[in-house]
Amino acid sequence: MNRRKFIAGAAAGLGAAYLGPHAVAGILDASTHKDKAEAHDTVMLGKTGIRTSRLAMGTGTIGAGGSSNQTRAGGLTRLLRTGYDRGLIFFDTADSYGSHPEVAEAVSRLPRDKVVIMTKCDSRNPKQAKADIDRYRRELKTDYIDILLIHCVTEGDWTERYRGVMDVFSEAKQKGIIRAHGCSCHSIDALRAAARSPWVEVDLVRLNPVGAHMDADPQTVIGVIKEMRAQGKGIIGMKILGQGAMRTRQDEAIRFALGTGVLDAFTIGAESDGEQADLIKRIAAA
C-alpha cells in the first residue's frame, strides 16, 4: 500500500480556508505546508523512533469501567483487522476500555513489528502499576507494549505525585517491556506539567476547534503542544470530534486536526466498518 510521508502543517491562509467560518484565529503555523494527507500515512512520533499510521484506531468511545461503545457493540476484532487491511497499524486501547482481548486477537495474526499498540494505565500505586504492566502483556498476548501512558492525569503536580509510577515505567522501558512512555492529560495544569517533564516522551492531548472536552481553549492548548514538539515529544490528538460534539461537523474537525500542524497522529474510535471507511475518506478529502 502506498503510504506517503506527510509533512505536517499548513499555511495560515490555506488553513483558514480549510476551517471555514469556525476557524480559530492565530493558531496555524504559517511557516509550513503539507501535501495531501491520508489516514494510512506513515508518521514518526516525535523522537521516539516509533513509526505508525497517522490515524489510530480508537477502541474507547465512552469507555470506562472495562467497556466501551466498541466492545459493547461486538465485532471489534473484525473491525480492527479491516482497519489494518486499510493501512491503519496504530491500535489505541486502555485497561479501562476492556478492549485488550479484541486487540490481542486482531494482532495475533499480524506481524508484531508491523503494528503499534498503545495502552493506558490507571494505577497510581507503583506496585500495582508494575503488576498491571505484566497483566497487560498477558491480555494483549505480546512481549512488549509500544506506548504506555499514565491515563487521565489531572493534577498540576502529577510528575512529583506519581514519580513512583513513572519510575516503574522507566524500568520497564530499560528492560524492553515498553518502547515509550508518557501520559494522557485532562487538565491544562497537567498538560503544562507534561510539557516541562523530560520523562514524557508521548502525550495524548485533547484537541478540536470548538474546545469541547478540552483542557483549555484551542489556542492555549496548541501553545503548550508547540512547547512539547520543540522538545521532541510525540503528540497524539484525541477528542478530535469533541466526544461527539462535532459529529455533524466531522470535516471541519479533521481539517483542523491536520491544519494546526502540531499533531503527529490522532485517534478516533469508529464503531462500524462504514464509519471507519467514511473517516478514511474524509481525511483524504481534507
Side-chain angles (χ1 to χ4, degrees), residues 58-64 66-76 79 96-99 102 243 247 269-272 275:
T59 64
T61 304
I62 316 298
S67 68
S68 68
N69 284 3
Q70 283 78 14
T71 61
R72 289 186 286 267
L76 177 56
L79 180 61
S96 60
Y97 303 163
S99 54
E102 287 88 346
Q243 199 168 307
R247 182 167 287 275
E271 297 179 29
S272 68
E275 279 193 8

Side-chain angles (χ1 to χ4, degrees), residues 153 155-156 158-159 182-185 187-204 224 227-228 231 233:
V153 293
E155 302 88 351
W158 73 266
T159 56
C183 63
S184 67
C185 294
S187 79
I188 190 61
D189 290 338
L191 188 67
R192 286 174 171 147
R196 293 190 298 266
S197 172
W199 179 88
V200 175
E201 299 169 320
V202 176
D203 191 89
L204 183 62
V224 179
E227 294 178 24
M228 292 180 165
Q231 300 169 42
K233 300 181 191 299

Side-chain angles (χ1 to χ4, degrees), residues 4 65 159 184 205 216 230 244-245 264:
R4 293 184 296 276
T159 56
S184 67
V205 58
D264 297 317

Side-chain angles (χ1 to χ4, degrees), residues 66-143:
S67 68
S68 68
N69 284 3
Q70 283 78 14
T71 61
R72 289 186 286 267
L76 177 56
T77 295
R78 182 175 63 255
L79 180 61
L80 294 174
R81 286 179 178 162
T82 298
Y84 179 83
D85 290 340
R86 289 167 168 161
L88 308 182
I89 65 170
F90 197 173
F91 294 75
D92 171 22
T93 183
D95 189 26
S96 60
Y97 303 163
S99 54
H100 282 174
E102 287 88 346
V103 171
E105 182 61 24
V107 172
S108 66
R109 300 180 186 178
L110 303 175
R112 179 63 184 89
D113 62 344
K114 301 299 183 184
V115 300
V116 173
I117 300 174
M118 177 174 71
T119 192
K120 312 172 193 79
C121 177
D122 293 298
S123 297
R124 303 305 194 244
N125 176 276
K127 184 177 180 179
Q128 184 61 53
K130 186 172 184 177
D132 284 345
I133 294 173
D134 290 336
R135 174 170 59 85
Y136 298 166
R137 291 193 295 152
R138 290 195 301 270
E139 292 175 350
L140 291 164
K141 299 179 181 178
T142 182
D143 293 331

Side-chain angles (χ1 to χ4, degrees), residues 232-279:
K233 300 181 191 299
I235 309 297
I236 304 165
M238 63 173 167
K239 297 294 188 288
I240 301 301
L241 301 181
Q243 199 168 307
M246 299 193 71
R247 182 167 287 275
T248 60
R249 297 161 60 184
Q250 294 184 54
D251 293 337
E252 179 187 346
I254 291 168
R255 288 166 182 160
F256 178 85
L258 295 171
T260 58
V262 297
L263 301 179
D264 297 317
F266 52 86
T267 180
I268 301 177
E271 297 179 29
S272 68
D273 179 86
E275 279 193 8
Q276 186 184 83
D278 180 68
L279 179 60

